[in-house]
Amino acid sequence: IAKKLNPVVGYWDPLGLVDAGYWGFDEARTIGWLRQSEIKHGRVAMAAFVGYCVQSNFVFPWSLTTSGMPHPSTDLSPPEQWDALPFASKVQIILFIGFLEWYSELYGNGEAHYTKGGKPGKYPTFENTPHPVPLNLYDPFGFSKKRSEEAKARGLISEINNGRLAMLGIFGFLCEQTIPGSVPALSGIVKPYAGEVMAPFSADFTF
């Protein structure tokens, strides 16, 4: 689908990742793994970009903790809001993300794994979990079930391209925050940040 994603550039793999043979994978399985990684990181980046814009201007009005602590103010930038969270809140968030990542590797319901001919980007349903879950993470409202295969293919192309753009966007925010002036278009829009964006617990402890 490289040509459909970008007709100008087409297939582009300057690092030769397809031939890397991770964990002894052949080319087909490696492509499945790389495509899954791209789709997943694109989705995370889209959520991060929207979240960055929203929480820069709005926070929930209710208390963050049972003790009545409010959510970090919009006077803080999103990375500063993260630093201001209680340590226990950060651990809960990281553990929940870790659970979603772990569960994404459990393929049931007749679906093949993405490295074994399955569809990259398709998240397993919650139908077989011990505790009932009202909505699935992938296609929670069942819209995709009603779409044609052609429409799904177009949607995948849009999702991957939007994910690529979002990855550039969120890193643009972080670069301008940590290196003021590095992204001129964002100068004066995002607040400088003196913390460590790649060390999520740096405000709590250091080694």
Side-chain angles (χ1 to χ4, degrees):
I1 62 176
K3 271 290 184 182
K4 294 180 180 178
L5 287 167
N6 191 320
V8 176
V9 176
Y11 178 76
W12 191 63
D13 182 20
L15 298 180
L17 298 179
V18 169
D19 300 318
Y22 305 110
W23 306 288
F25 286 176
D26 58 19
E27 183 178 280
R29 297 184 70 182
T30 300
I31 290 174
W33 187 85
L34 291 171
R35 184 64 73 199
Q36 166 76 7
S37 298
E38 179 177 33
I39 294 172
K40 176 168 52 179
H41 286 87
R43 289 171 177 169
V44 171
M46 286 188 277
F49 185 88
V50 173
Y52 189 106
C53 294
V54 171
Q55 69 189 68
S56 294
N57 300 280
F58 172 81
V59 295
F60 293 121
W62 52 81
S63 298
L64 173 66
T65 65
T66 54
S67 64
M69 176 184 175
H71 285 77
S73 168
T74 53
D75 292 336
L76 303 175
S77 67
E80 291 171 333
Q81 290 173 336
W82 169 265
D83 289 342
L85 290 176
F87 178 71
S89 298
K90 297 177 183 177
V91 171
Q92 289 177 48
I93 293 170
I94 295 296
L95 287 177
F96 178 66
I97 294 172
F99 165 76
L100 293 179
E101 176 68 15
W102 169 77
Y103 193 80
S104 73
E105 294 297 319
L106 300 179
Y107 273 69
N109 306 310
E111 293 287 340
H113 192 268
Y114 54 83
T115 62
K116 298 178 180 179
K119 294 181 180 179
K122 187 167 184 179
Y123 198 86
T125 69
F126 295 126
E127 296 172 359
N128 296 324
T129 55
H131 189 283
V133 180
L135 298 173
N136 290 313
L137 188 64
Y138 178 84
D139 192 25
F141 302 108
F143 294 146
S144 290
K145 294 179 181 178
K146 304 173 185 177
R147 302 174 69 193
S148 65
E149 291 302 318
E150 293 76 13
K152 290 180 181 179
R154 290 194 300 271
L156 177 62
I157 297 299
S158 298
E159 180 182 27
I160 294 176
N161 278 331
N162 288 335
R164 291 174 175 178
L165 185 60
M167 285 188 270
L168 293 174
I170 189 62
F171 267 92
F173 282 148
L174 297 178
C175 287
E176 177 59 30
Q177 282 199 289
T178 54
I179 312 172
S182 60
V183 185
L186 296 176
S187 295
I189 297 177
V190 297
K191 303 171 184 176
Y193 175 63
E196 295 290 341
V197 295
M198 301 304 289
F201 295 109
S202 60
D204 303 288
F205 58 84
T206 56
F207 293 103

